[in-house]
Amino acid sequence: MDKFDVVVVGGGHAGVEAAYAVYRSGLSCALVTFEKSKIGQMSCNPAIGGLGKSHIVREIDAMGGIMPIATDMSGIQYRTLNTRKGDAVQALRVQCDRDLYKKAIQKILNSTSINIFEEEVEDLIVEQKSVKGVLTKNKKIYGKKTILTTGTFLNGLMYIGSEVSSGGRVGDDSAIPLSKKLYDLKLPMGRLKTGTPARVKMSTLDLSVMEEQPGETPTPFMSLAGEVKQHQDQLSCFITRTNKTTHQIISDNTHLSAMYSGNISGIGPRYCPSIEDKVFKFGHKESHQIFIEPEGIGVDLVYPNGISTSLPKKVQEDFIHTIKGMEQCEITEFGYAVEYDFVDPRTNKKTLETKYFNDFYLAGQINGTTGYEEAAAQGLVAGLNAAQAIQKKPDFILQREEAYIGVLIDDLTTHGITEPYRMFTSRAEHRLLLSQNNAEQRLLSKAFKLGIIPEERNTTFVNKEKQYAEFVKTRLDKTKILSFINKEQQTVSLDEKRSISSILARPDVDENNLIELNKEEEIFFKRASTEIKYKGYIEKQTREINKNKKQNNKKIPPSINYKKISGLSNEVVEKLTKSQPETIGSASQIEGVTPAAINLILISIKKQELEKLNA
Amino acid sequence: MSVVFALATPPAKSAICIFRVTGRGCLSKIPELAGSPLEKNKKFYLRTIKNKSGDIVDRVGIISFKGPDSYTGEDSFEVYAHGGLGVMAMLVDVFKSLGFDEAPPGEFTKRAFLNNKISLAEAEAVVDLIDSHDQGGVVLSSNTLSGDFTEKVLGFSDTINNLRVRVEGEIDFSDEGESFFDSSLPNELSLLVENFKLFVGGCLNKKNHSAKNKVMFVGPVNSGKSSVFNRLLGFERALVSEKPGTTRDLVESEIFYNEASFSISDTAGLRETDDVVESKGMQFALEQLNSVDLVVGVFDSDEGSILDRFAELSNEKKYLKVYNKTDLGHVVREGVFDCMVSAKTGEGFDGLKKLISNAFKSDISGDYMYLVRDRHIGLFQSSINHLENALLKLSEDAGLELIAEDLKLARSDLNEIMGVKMSDSLLGDIFSSFCIGK
Ligand SMILES: Cc1cc2nc3c(=O)[nH]c(=O)nc-3n(C[C@H](O)[C@H](O)[C@H](O)COP(=O)(O)OP(=O)(O)OC[C@H]3O[C@@H](n4cnc5c(N)ncnc54)[C@H](O)[C@@H]3O)c2cc1C
Ligand SMILES: Nc1nc2c(ncn2[C@@H]2O[C@H](COP(=O)(O)OP(=O)(O)OP(=O)(O)O)[C@@H](O)[C@H]2O)c(=O)[nH]1
Ligand SMILES: [Mg+2]
């Protein structure tokens, strides 16, 4: 019999991060997954980061996670998005070598004490509303906590035109018995779908007619932990476009698409539309952009990002061959749609432990999200909280104003989802506080207190913060100048000497010409400049946060019966009953819950408290 | 919520008085209150109310409104009783003996709001309606109430949303090859700011409006100010004598005319004086001038220099010149005065009253469309500030995330005015307006 502190089911991005967090918390962990060799597999496009997502990855990085390191071990093209906008909304996107990424993850895991089992989990050991471990064909694996991270595999069905096959990912099985078990446990389940494009041989493309998009130089790092010193060789991506002929073929055949034939009941993400969706819904657009992303170094394969589809193979072939530079290309694998089970994430507390079964956590795509980063973040949260609970330590919950991870978990657990959930910066109402570049300032000392990052890294961080404070004091506050160069490259003279910091606050200044800096100082300078520009907004946000903090943190007793609160509309009662928000703050986030309704809830809690006192 | 009651009519002797009762379970108390239940909802029944000791209090009419089809959304009923003060006092005792509480001011409207019967803006308008001072105010309030105001504010929210969709789209989906953002955006933003300002300019601030219409009488000593004042009041409020300098303090009272109320004050006559008490009174009167809405000069001569001096005093204020003592038959120049009266005979007073009330009517004519509260004005102002800031940041080519922030704040100020959280379907709007996704 095998016994562990934590059993993690699934070796995807959520599972890996969860197991690694448990390991770093000093506990024993079992990782049970279909195939060892596919641990850390990127099911879809081979890229990490992007808007809202790199923010998450940097947060994982500040807490010592695995994803950012594996990204740098396999990154083949780095690009910062939104460079013309401010710091809070800039994002790093890294194209990875699919194979190297997976190998990096496996290498890191192999250096830990995590026990990997190559088995299909078919059942859960449930005793009195508590999950005690998992059952595979041949094994019982016990865990004080069990974390399910089965991704798109639960009763996964893949569609190409009218062909349907079982599987969570091409070349993989589907987890059918486990899905059945979750239905048996009466967890609130639903179906979602997503899709992926065909893969094409790079050597059969005419890249010379496409626009080349090289990576950024100097090549940045996703992880700021300093563990990866050397990048892989860097490659370019290419851009091509669909055209009228492409669209004609697609619209002539839309009815043959699995998504349009009515076979799929699951809801797909609106921000990840298939090419047939794009052509159908935005008929006026004559052309759509396609990114040709290399799958890896020395790999004769590309991922044509932008033409995800579930059209029949023949149609896929036809329309792809109309695209500039792809006329002669050879398709190695066809695009498909996958439909899978998910569990309504409102089932979970903010620790990602389910409300209905103790010691049972859900993380990753099973909670209705999509994307590697979103999955990894949940894995980290579930893993840490399982470890904290075992050690009888407090829950680890990040607030919405502290991290994108806080936004993600709160959104999922209080609002639930209506389509596969992906992070966007606009989901974070405190966006200006949450830059990908200040994740360490926000989270590193928290992680250090949890004991999940090495002492050395914390020391480096603390020293750097000291240096920064010193830099601001001596170089920016004390250095005074009499003139500066404005954005029009004219010299502006001042009537008296002013500090660099006060000049940085001016909208017309061209920062690049302000002072001579060495490399290290440049990062500090940029940071200071952002802090100065955001200052007013951030002060306002902070005031707002503090104002609402007390009320927002007020706990709603689980015994609350919304039906009994007179004055709440049926719609509001239904929504609140379904999501069972843990705090007033979460309740007020729910759509349709008015300030008046919040008052009523507060009054009713108050009344309950008074009644208890009097009893 | 507990059962509360309130007197819905003024607490004064009148033909009839109405009590309203609301709260869960109040209908089940009707048999105890009035002997038997009311068979039908929303039907008027005659019943006798007795007090605890069995004495008849009054023969009354009762009508019940089952929730949620009532003003508050809860079970409610109304009692129509005879309007004597004694009956009212006894009814209050009866209600209290049934365990009903006296409702604090605004409680009924508050409950209506909490039960989603009316929006916050509308709830406030009802309160305005109740303590509105004149007909004009009532008209304005019901404009707010009708939802017209709500619609206007929602319109501005929508426009802000449209701008946000593009700005947020440009931030979150900049690598999608869509153009969210073009040169029309600053123009649209400044158009919005203009329209919004016009709208806010058309909102009459409730505080200014429902402050009593203040009228102050000024004039040279002994011109008959106190006499005119008394005549308007209809009783002797201020001292009158032939001795110049009789009035030394400000004397205030209230008059009602044409469903409007005015606060009028009589002042010490102005002259060069060495009497300390009187000069103090005059000084005080001069200070008060700033807070009044209408200055009425009372004169008993048409001497140009005197008239000029008072015209100067009242400088920016609305100013009426009244000639008193027409009964004496002195000849005055044509067109110098707005109105000719005699406090002694009452001649010309109808005209004077009309002039006074007209002086206020013009305040709330056409230009002012909505009656809003301080809270609204503050939030509108803040919303406009954010929009203007966004415009400024756009022109400075500052980070788009800051413009987005200002737009978001401008929008949330409007949310607060409506007292509801308008569903934020921003992402959905982006997806339906632009082709996004790889
Ligand atoms: C076809 C397809 C298209 C996609 N398209 C996009 C996209 O366009 N954009 C985007 O952002 N994301 C996309 N994704 C999603 C992205 O791949 C996932 O969000 C992410 O991988 C989820 O991580 P996860 O850890 O939750 O699950 P996964 O990475 O799916 O990992 C699940 C793991 O659990 C294991 N497992 C499952 N069941 C069992 C069991 N019973 N016993 C043992 N092991 C089990 C599996 O072997 C696998 O290792 C797509 C995924 C697929 C499959
Ligand atoms: N004939 C006549 N006498 C009047 C009239 N109005 C006032 N008087 C007389 O004028 C004198 C002064 O009247 P007041 O009302 O005290 O005048 P006032 O302007 O208040 O005087 P001060 O308070 O002293 O400044 C009194 O003797 C009144 O009786 C009027 O219309 N006709
Ligand atoms: Mg007088």
Side-chain angles (χ1 to χ4, degrees):
Chain A
M1 194 172 73
D2 295 289
K3 265 189 159 168
F4 296 89
D5 285 320
V6 180
V7 178
V8 176
V9 182
H13 307 277
V16 161
E17 209 66 68
Y20 195 52
V22 171
Y23 159 74
R24 286 184 292 137
S25 301
L27 302 183
S28 66
C29 180
L31 179 63
V32 194
T33 190
F34 275 123
E35 269 176 82
K36 252 185 185 169
S37 64
K38 285 190 175 162
I39 290 178
Q41 168 95 343
M42 299 171 128
S43 320
C44 196
N45 68 324
I48 300 280
L51 281 151
K53 290 172 169 263
S54 70
H55 295 77
I56 290 178
V57 183
R58 284 278 171 82
E59 289 170 2
I60 294 173
D61 183 52
M63 296 193 283
I66 199 168
M67 174 172 268
I69 294 170
T71 304
D72 282 334
M73 287 166 77
S74 59
I76 51 177
Q77 191 225 29
Y78 288 70
R79 228 156 47 84
T80 302
L81 308 177
N82 272 346
T83 45
R84 294 190 40 231
K85 294 165 201 126
D87 180 68
V89 296
Q90 293 190 6
L92 183 59
R93 186 175 185 280
V94 185
Q95 207 61 54
C96 295
D97 178 308
R98 193 189 295 277
D99 205 45
L100 287 180
Y101 183 88
K102 182 167 79 178
K103 291 205 170 110
I105 295 273
Q106 292 171 12
K107 188 174 160 207
I108 297 170
L109 289 189
N110 286 336
S111 69
T112 69
S113 62
I114 297 166
N115 281 269
I116 297 171
F117 294 85
E118 197 168 55
E119 304 264 352
E120 173 179 359
V121 169
E122 296 188 335
D123 204 352
L124 301 170
I125 309 169
V126 183
E127 284 170 20
Q128 292 168 338
K129 290 270 162 194
S130 174
V131 173
K132 303 284 180 203
V134 301
L135 292 176
T136 71
K137 267 212 173 60
N138 330 297
K139 269 194 161 60
K140 271 190 176 180
I141 308 173
Y142 284 91
K144 291 178 189 153
K145 309 279 174 190
T146 301
I147 305 176
L148 227 52
T149 69
T150 49
T152 48
F153 287 69
L154 287 179
N155 199 11
L157 286 176
M158 296 182 291
Y159 297 83
I160 305 182
S162 55
E163 294 173 40
V164 187
S165 54
S166 173
R169 183 165 66 195
V170 73
D172 278 298
D173 286 340
S174 162
I176 297 170
L178 187 57
S179 158
K180 201 177 155 297
K181 177 67 181 182
L182 296 182
Y183 274 101
D184 287 347
L185 290 177
K186 301 233 159 20
L187 287 169
M189 313 275 289
R191 297 285 277 171
L192 291 173
K193 68 147 202 249
T194 185
T196 194
R199 309 295 149 88
V200 178
K201 270 197 175 162
M202 186 156 204
S203 55
T204 60
L205 294 175
D206 182 3
L207 295 175
S208 67
V209 299
M210 301 184 189
E211 179 193 330
E212 182 170 354
Q213 189 190 45
E216 154 183 350
T217 44
T219 312
F221 283 97
M222 181 58 96
S223 171
L224 305 179
E227 285 184 33
V228 183
K229 311 270 186 256
Q230 187 67 50
H231 285 109
Q232 301 289 347
D233 291 340
Q234 297 296 295
L235 303 177
S236 288
C237 290
F238 294 84
I239 300 172
T240 181
R241 307 190 68 92
T242 60
N243 53 50
K244 276 190 186 153
T245 324
T246 324
H247 294 188
Q248 194 56 51
I249 295 173
I250 291 168
S251 54
D252 286 348
N253 292 286
T254 303
H255 60 286
L256 298 175
S257 158
M259 311 228 222
Y260 278 82
S261 59
N263 287 337
I264 303 184
S265 60
I267 302 160
R270 283 173 299 174
Y271 41 84
C272 241
S274 60
I275 187 70
E276 46 269 37
D277 259 349
K278 293 187 196 178
V279 170
F280 183 75
K281 290 191 187 139
F282 296 91
H284 61 279
K285 286 204 76 172
E286 289 183 359
S287 160
H288 297 282
Q289 192 171 269
I290 303 167
F291 287 89
I292 302 291
E293 305 174 348
E295 288 261 332
I297 299 162
V299 182
D300 187 13
L301 209 56
V302 301
Y303 180 97
N305 198 345
I307 47 171
S308 147
T309 182
S310 61
L311 283 162
K313 291 173 179 166
K314 173 77 178 60
V315 183
Q316 290 193 29
E317 206 148 345
D318 287 350
F319 88 73
I320 287 174
H321 285 155
T322 64
I323 298 166
K324 197 171 165 194
M326 301 184 82
E327 293 88 348
Q328 309 294 328
C329 76
E330 190 183 319
I331 296 172
T332 59
E333 210 172 81
F334 285 92
Y336 61 94
V338 59
E339 194 194 23
Y340 53 93
D341 291 334
F342 78 104
V343 182
D344 183 338
R346 288 174 291 185
T347 306
N348 301 321
K349 302 181 207 164
K350 287 199 177 142
T351 55
L352 294 184
E353 186 182 19
T354 61
K355 289 172 185 164
Y356 309 119
F357 295 93
N358 295 327
D359 309 318
F360 185 46
Y361 296 71
L362 303 177
Q365 193 137 354
I366 190 173
N367 281 332
T369 60
T370 145
Y372 312 132
E373 303 82 352
E374 289 84 349
Q378 293 172 67
L380 179 69
V381 169
L384 279 179
N385 275 296
Q388 288 288 102
I390 290 172
Q391 301 171 87
K392 306 230 172 336
K393 289 185 185 165
D395 292 344
F396 177 72
I397 293 165
L398 291 169
Q399 303 301 320
R400 295 182 71 92
E401 67 270 18
E402 282 177 320
Y404 274 87
I405 298 179
V407 175
L408 169 74
I409 304 288
D410 187 51
D411 277 351
L412 292 175
T413 56
T414 57
H415 301 292
I417 56 146
T418 49
E419 66 185 312
Y421 181 102
R422 177 211 193 276
M423 187 48 77
F424 298 105
T425 70
S426 53
R427 294 196 195 270
E429 63 276 35
H430 304 297
R431 178 165 64 193
L432 297 182
L433 296 172
L434 310 177
S435 149
Q436 65 167 1
N437 295 323
N438 66 15
E440 286 192 325
Q441 285 121 257
R442 290 183 273 124
L443 302 173
L444 196 129
S445 39
K446 271 181 199 285
F448 183 62
K449 281 196 195 107
L450 288 174
I452 52 168
I453 57 160
E455 170 107 48
E456 196 192 335
R457 183 165 178 206
N458 186 57
T459 316
T460 313
F461 168 73
V462 172
N463 287 339
K464 210 181 222 152
E465 288 304 290
K466 273 191 202 137
Q467 279 171 27
Y468 174 69
E470 191 54 34
F471 170 81
V472 172
K473 216 167 83 191
T474 55
R475 299 293 310 275
L476 303 187
D477 291 349
K478 287 204 183 132
T479 313
K480 301 205 167 166
I481 53 174
L482 242 172
S483 70
F484 66 89
I485 299 190
N486 70 11
K487 281 181 179 160
E488 269 94 53
Q489 302 308 311
Q490 300 150 330
T491 304
V492 179
S493 323
L494 301 160
D495 40 8
E496 59 176 312
K497 277 197 162 189
R498 291 189 190 281
S499 69
I500 304 276
S501 5
S502 69
I503 289 163
L504 268 177
R506 296 180 63 122
D508 56 340
V509 68
D510 179 16
E511 301 173 6
N512 303 323
N513 289 317
L514 214 46
I515 34 174
E516 291 283 317
L517 297 157
N518 62 42
K519 187 107 187 55
E520 178 80 325
E521 285 175 333
E522 216 169 284
I523 296 169
F524 285 169
F525 183 72
K526 273 195 188 145
R527 174 172 161 192
S529 160
T530 298
E531 284 174 4
I532 289 170
K533 290 212 172 65
Y534 286 1
K535 193 160 172 257
Y537 291 88
I538 286 180
E539 278 169 1
K540 198 175 156 79
Q541 288 205 345
T542 318
R543 247 179 288 141
E544 199 72 6
I545 292 164
N546 290 336
K547 197 178 89 191
N548 295 332
K549 207 166 221 161
K550 214 173 136 212
Q551 175 166 322
N552 284 346
N553 288 345
K554 179 142 188 88
K555 286 237 160 26
I556 301 177
S559 62
I560 196 161
N561 184 349
Y562 292 105
K563 279 199 200 98
K564 287 214 170 127
I565 302 180
S566 110
L568 289 183
S569 72
N570 286 339
E571 186 206 342
V572 167
V573 170
E574 197 183 302
K575 281 191 172 157
L576 288 167
T577 309
K578 210 162 196 175
S579 69
Q580 292 288 338
E582 292 174 73
T583 61
I584 287 290
S586 307
S588 64
Q589 290 286 328
I590 296 171
E591 199 189 311
V593 176
T594 60
I598 290 294
N599 272 340
L600 287 176
I601 297 168
L602 281 170
I603 290 167
S604 131
I605 296 173
K606 185 92 211 157
K607 241 173 76 187
Q608 257 190 17
E609 287 169 359
L610 284 177
E611 277 163 9
K612 254 198 207 130
L613 267 181
N614 293 337
Chain B
M1 264 180 277
S2 63
V3 177
V4 293
F5 70 92
L7 183 61
T9 43
K13 194 175 172 323
S14 52
I16 203 162
C17 71
I18 306 172
F19 277 94
R20 292 202 291 181
V21 182
T22 187
R24 197 165 0 165
C26 71
L27 295 182
S28 65
K29 291 278 193 180
I30 289 181
E32 205 179 324
L33 173 75
S36 58
L38 313 180
E39 287 99 71
K40 283 204 178 118
N41 192 37
K42 289 192 184 168
K43 247 195 95 151
F44 207 73
Y45 291 92
L46 279 177
R47 288 285 194 284
T48 303
I49 291 185
K50 294 181 184 171
N51 65 14
K52 280 269 159 203
S53 28
D55 305 324
I56 291 180
V57 173
D58 196 11
R59 179 104 178 128
V60 302
I62 307 188
I63 181 166
S64 63
F65 301 92
K66 255 199 95 50
D69 277 343
S70 68
Y71 176 71
T72 56
E74 306 168 323
D75 287 352
S76 310
F77 66 87
E78 291 178 1
V79 175
Y80 294 72
H82 294 98
L85 290 172
V87 170
M88 287 182 214
M90 281 193 283
L91 280 173
V92 167
D93 287 342
V94 171
F95 288 137
K96 283 188 174 165
S97 74
L98 289 173
F100 301 170
D101 293 323
E102 222 164 331
E107 178 70 17
F108 280 72
T109 303
K110 192 175 104 200
R111 290 184 181 207
F113 172 60
L114 289 182
N115 293 333
N116 290 328
K117 295 296 261 188
I118 45 180
S119 80
L120 188 55
E122 287 165 343
E124 288 180 344
V126 173
V127 175
D128 290 347
L129 192 85
I130 293 164
D131 53 35
S132 199
H133 279 277
D134 63 9
Q135 205 77 46
V138 172
V139 172
L140 290 179
S141 291
S142 48
N143 225 347
T144 313
L145 198 60
S146 70
D148 190 25
F149 173 84
T150 308
E151 211 167 277
K152 273 264 162 58
V153 177
L154 283 176
F156 289 116
S157 303
D158 273 355
T159 315
I160 298 176
N161 266 4
N162 289 338
L163 296 171
R164 286 191 70 204
V165 163
R166 289 157 64 188
V167 171
E168 295 289 347
E170 174 63 29
I171 289 174
D172 264 336
F173 306 97
S174 59
D175 56 341
E176 299 278 356
E178 274 275 347
S179 55
F180 295 94
F181 206 73
D182 53 42
S183 53
S184 70
L185 198 119
N187 291 338
E188 283 171 39
L189 182 54
S190 60
L191 193 68
L192 168 68
V193 172
E194 250 167 65
N195 284 334
F196 200 1
K197 278 182 164 171
L198 269 179
F199 169 75
V200 174
C203 288
L204 181 62
N205 194 341
K206 169 74 182 146
K207 192 179 95 201
N208 302 335
H209 183 60
S210 62
K212 293 222 180 69
N213 306 322
K214 278 196 168 170
V215 185
M216 185 182 263
F217 286 81
V218 299
V221 285
N222 223 28
S223 62
K225 299 177 295 298
S226 299
S227 306
V228 172
F229 177 82
N230 286 344
R231 176 61 88 165
L232 269 177
L233 281 182
F235 62 93
E236 305 290 311
R237 173 82 172 75
L239 269 184
V240 172
S241 86
E242 63 256 31
K243 181 176 176 279
T246 306
T247 307
R248 298 181 172 214
D249 273 327
L250 203 69
V251 182
E252 256 187 299
S253 196
E254 218 165 278
I255 60 163
F256 297 88
Y257 179 73
N258 255 354
E259 283 135 19
S261 68
F262 303 94
S263 146
I264 60 173
S265 48
D266 182 22
T267 62
L270 295 184
R271 63 166 177 191
E272 310 304 327
T273 176
D274 36 33
D275 181 327
V276 184
V277 180
E278 192 185 327
S279 78
K280 267 209 178 132
M282 275 165 42
Q283 207 178 328
F284 186 62
L286 286 175
E287 278 163 18
Q288 290 294 302
L289 257 180
N290 286 326
S291 68
V292 304
D293 306 297
L294 173 68
V295 180
V296 179
V298 179
F299 305 93
D300 57 356
S301 100
D302 61 355
E303 202 186 308
S305 66
I306 296 178
L307 288 175
D308 288 349
R309 209 176 131 214
F310 282 94
E312 222 171 87
L313 267 180
S314 64
N315 59 7
E316 298 282 286
K317 299 280 168 192
K318 266 186 221 136
Y319 180 49
L320 281 181
K321 279 172 286 180
V322 178
Y323 177 76
N324 184 32
K325 311 191 186 176
T326 50
D327 58 293
L328 294 178
H330 296 302
V331 187
V332 288
R333 284 176 286 142
E334 236 2 85
V336 175
F337 294 102
D338 300 300
C339 176
M340 316 278 281
V341 301
S342 162
K344 196 168 187 177
T345 64
E347 190 193 336
F349 270 78
D350 279 345
L352 177 58
K353 284 180 189 168
K354 226 173 248 158
L355 275 180
I356 291 177
S357 88
N358 283 346
F360 292 99
K361 276 232 173 82
S362 57
D363 245 9
I364 36 179
S365 64
D367 296 351
Y368 289 103
M369 302 286 291
Y370 304 95
L371 184 62
V372 297
R373 313 203 124 212
D374 280 359
R375 191 179 75 88
H376 295 153
I377 292 289
L379 287 166
F380 278 142
Q381 206 48 60
S382 156
S383 184
I384 288 176
N385 288 349
H386 286 305
L387 292 175
E388 286 184 324
N389 209 23
L391 204 53
L392 177 75
K393 293 263 156 149
L394 258 178
S395 71
E396 285 171 355
D397 203 14
L400 204 55
E401 73 279 15
L402 295 179
I403 292 148
E405 191 69 18
D406 272 314
L407 290 176
K408 186 182 84 191
L409 292 168
R411 162 74 204 250
S412 72
D413 284 329
L414 296 189
N415 284 2
E416 211 170 303
I417 288 180
M418 307 312 295
V420 292
K421 213 165 81 200
M422 289 180 251
S423 78
D424 199 353
S425 53
L426 188 74
L427 278 168
D429 292 343
I430 295 178
F431 300 138
S432 57
S433 331
F434 297 98
C435 182
I436 280 161
K438 291 179 206 159

